[in-house]
Amino acid sequence: MHKPKRAVLVIEDVAGKRIRRFYLSEPYPKSREIYLTVEFDDETELLIEVECLPSFGITHLAIDSSGELAPVKRSRRGSIRSLVKGVR
């Protein structure tokens, strides 16, 4: 059985640029759309709109004493709104 190749979108316009900030946002509460925004040092940005039923997991990793990546904090899971401190 032949396994299909995965689809990969390469955005050449951002090659070599330095990222100033990367963030996820929702346009309104309980939105089925998420914005992935990358801001660059040259004051340009890339906005990717994703339509989905979003649920996220965030895990902070660091190299442990054996040289392996391991969680350093407990993972957080949920919607963007639930992960943003102070937002209800």
Side-chain angles (χ1 to χ4, degrees):
M1 188 179 272
H2 182 68
K3 185 176 178 182
K5 290 185 177 182
R6 68 181 177 143
V8 177
L9 174 64
V10 177
I11 303 170
E12 299 291 345
D13 296 350
V14 300
K17 291 187 177 190
R18 291 180 50 95
I19 295 173
R20 179 176 50 203
R21 186 165 70 155
F22 174 83
Y23 58 93
L24 303 169
S25 59
E26 62 179 3
Y28 53 88
K30 300 190 188 235
S31 171
R32 294 185 67 98
E33 194 170 81
I34 295 297
Y35 296 160
L36 304 166
T37 306
V38 184
E39 292 179 355
F40 299 99
D41 280 348
D42 65 358
E43 298 185 11
T44 62
E45 61 183 56
L46 176 68
L47 172 68
I48 301 170
E49 298 177 35
V50 179
E51 293 185 26
C52 59
L53 182 56
S55 179
F56 298 91
I58 298 175
T59 304
H60 296 268
L61 303 172
I63 296 175
D64 65 12
S65 59
S66 63
E68 299 293 324
L69 280 175
V72 292
K73 294 182 181 178
R74 187 175 153 173
S75 295
R76 297 185 312 158
R77 302 189 86 63
S79 68
I80 288 178
R81 188 157 293 273
S82 73
L83 296 173
V84 174
K85 291 182 181 176
V87 175
R88 302 242 183 250

